[in-house]
Amino acid sequence: MMKLRLNQTRVTEFILEGFSEHPSLRLFLTGCFLSFYMIALMGNIVIIALITFSTGLHKPMYFFLCNLATIDILCTTSVIPKALIGLVSEENTISFKGCMAQLFFLAWSASSELVLLTVLAYDCYVAICFPLHYSSRMSPQLCGALAMGVWSICAVNASVHTGLMAHLSFCGPKVITYFFCEIPPLLLLSCSPTYVNNIMTLLGDAFFGGINFVLTTLSYGYIIVSILRMRFAVGKRKAFSTCSSHLIVVSVYYSSVFCAYVSPASSYSPERSKVSSVLYSVLSPTLNPLIYTLRNKDVKIALERILASFSH
């Protein structure tokens, strides 16, 4: 009888609080989110098109950048449209299944970006430290295997987290203090034990946040040492320009992810996490194509050629 009553009162939808506590900022935030989404969408599509159709960009680094652009589109599309609906409507509700779907795609894209940034760091490490062996070490077969590994491992990770979350009971309250479905606020709303979820979240943080951060840091550490050992200033400038855009992207993304993810659910702070989530789910995917376009000579040349072909 008690179990039947629990099933009858189980939450079937959630309310995404978003930024509803700041009604005066609604119009401003709507404009910002819409602008960021359009820039992120168009910018990343341009990056994918440039790399696909420019033979000069058919190199390992740009192959991985194409994957990164795809991940950024997936991340922003899973978050921003629903956030915009919440900003223009009185109440932003999302079904339980819709919430789980959003959680899956967000976890998939966020973890994929972390692993792919490590792969990009390794690619940069090989290019700077072993330039003569770059072609043999970063073969098309290895690049394809690395990309497939990133997407597959992170899809499994997202499936595990989503599956565990879907098996929890939610009996109310149903207000998520966020503008999208995320693990920490959902765990706080659960009326069933979340021990396994917390353990898996910590393990995911340790691998995707911790180990990948260490590997990325080591790669750039070796790169910096290698650049400092170069005799000629021209070589130093070229090597630094190759990796500077990666460093900027890594710094922005890891800063926001550590603030939002690497903390136990018990110490979850809604306001702090909202700001952090805007950085990694909205701002970072918007800035990535701008950084790589403005700071990468090959991409700028390819873009100029495409624009010139349209003007004739």
Side-chain angles (χ1 to χ4, degrees):
M1 188 72 178
M2 195 68 183
K3 187 178 286 187
L4 180 62
R5 190 174 299 168
L6 183 65
N7 287 335
Q8 289 174 339
T9 57
R10 183 171 293 178
V11 169
T12 56
E13 66 176 18
F14 296 101
I15 298 171
L16 297 170
E17 184 183 70
F19 299 95
S20 59
E21 71 273 28
H22 304 293
S24 60
L25 297 175
R26 181 171 289 181
L27 186 62
F28 171 74
L29 290 171
T30 301
C32 287
F33 272 58
L34 184 60
S35 300
F36 283 144
Y37 184 53
M38 295 306 296
I39 294 169
L41 201 61
M42 294 306 298
N44 284 297
I45 288 172
V46 167
I47 290 288
I48 293 170
L50 282 175
I51 294 169
T52 303
F53 297 109
S54 301
T55 54
L57 298 180
H58 291 176
K59 300 173 184 176
M61 182 180 78
Y62 300 109
F63 169 71
F64 294 127
L65 285 182
C66 191
N67 279 267
L68 183 65
T70 306
I71 290 168
D72 285 338
I73 291 172
L74 181 65
C75 181
T76 51
T77 303
S78 66
V79 171
I80 300 182
K82 189 62 181 172
L84 285 169
I85 292 172
L87 287 167
V88 299
S89 60
E90 291 298 319
E91 189 175 78
N92 190 17
T93 59
I94 185 169
S95 67
F96 183 84
K97 289 183 179 179
C99 186
M100 293 302 106
Q102 190 180 61
L103 177 64
F104 171 80
F105 285 110
L106 184 66
W108 191 18
S109 58
S111 56
S112 295
E113 184 135 358
L114 287 168
V115 181
L116 193 59
L117 288 175
T118 304
V119 173
L120 276 163
Y122 175 73
D123 173 77
C124 194
Y125 161 74
V126 175
I128 301 299
C129 300
F130 303 98
L132 299 178
H133 303 283
Y134 181 74
S135 298
S136 58
R137 288 201 178 193
M138 299 303 294
S139 64
Q141 294 79 12
L142 177 62
C143 292
L146 286 171
M148 284 296 295
V150 169
W151 287 101
S152 302
I153 290 169
C154 296
V156 171
N157 169 67
S159 299
V160 169
H161 285 295
T162 307
L164 288 171
M165 191 68 71
H167 279 84
L168 294 178
S169 296
F170 296 90
C171 318
K174 59 180 183 178
V175 178
I176 298 175
T177 57
Y178 236 53
F179 59 93
F180 56 82
C181 291
E182 179 60 300
I183 292 172
L186 281 170
L187 291 181
L188 291 176
L189 295 179
S190 175
C191 55
S192 56
T194 59
Y195 178 77
V196 176
N197 298 71
N198 283 322
I199 292 296
M200 291 306 297
T201 301
L202 287 172
L203 289 174
D205 289 345
F207 176 73
F208 292 102
I211 294 175
N212 280 286
F213 177 74
V214 171
L215 292 174
T216 303
T217 304
L218 283 173
S219 295
Y220 284 116
Y222 281 114
I223 289 166
I224 291 168
V225 171
S226 182
I227 291 172
L228 291 174
R229 286 178 177 174
M230 290 180 181
R231 295 179 180 181
F232 302 105
V234 176
K236 287 183 179 181
R237 281 197 299 269
K238 186 178 179 181
F240 182 74
S241 65
T242 302
C243 298
S244 59
S245 53
H246 298 324
L247 278 169
I248 296 169
V249 169
V250 166
S251 300
V252 171
Y253 197 75
Y254 268 102
S255 298
S256 57
V257 166
F258 276 131
C259 289
Y261 276 88
V262 188
S263 60
S266 58
S267 64
Y268 168 71
S269 170
E271 290 304 316
R272 184 197 68 186
S273 294
K274 278 181 190 179
V275 175
S276 303
S277 65
V278 169
L279 288 175
Y280 78 79
S281 66
V282 179
L283 192 60
S284 183
T286 304
L287 291 177
N288 285 355
L290 295 175
I291 292 168
Y292 286 117
T293 304
L294 296 174
R295 294 189 63 86
N296 189 291
K297 186 179 177 181
D298 292 338
V299 174
K300 282 196 286 187
I301 291 171
L303 183 60
E304 287 168 2
R305 284 176 179 171
I306 294 290
L307 293 174
S309 65
F310 280 114
S311 62
H312 291 301

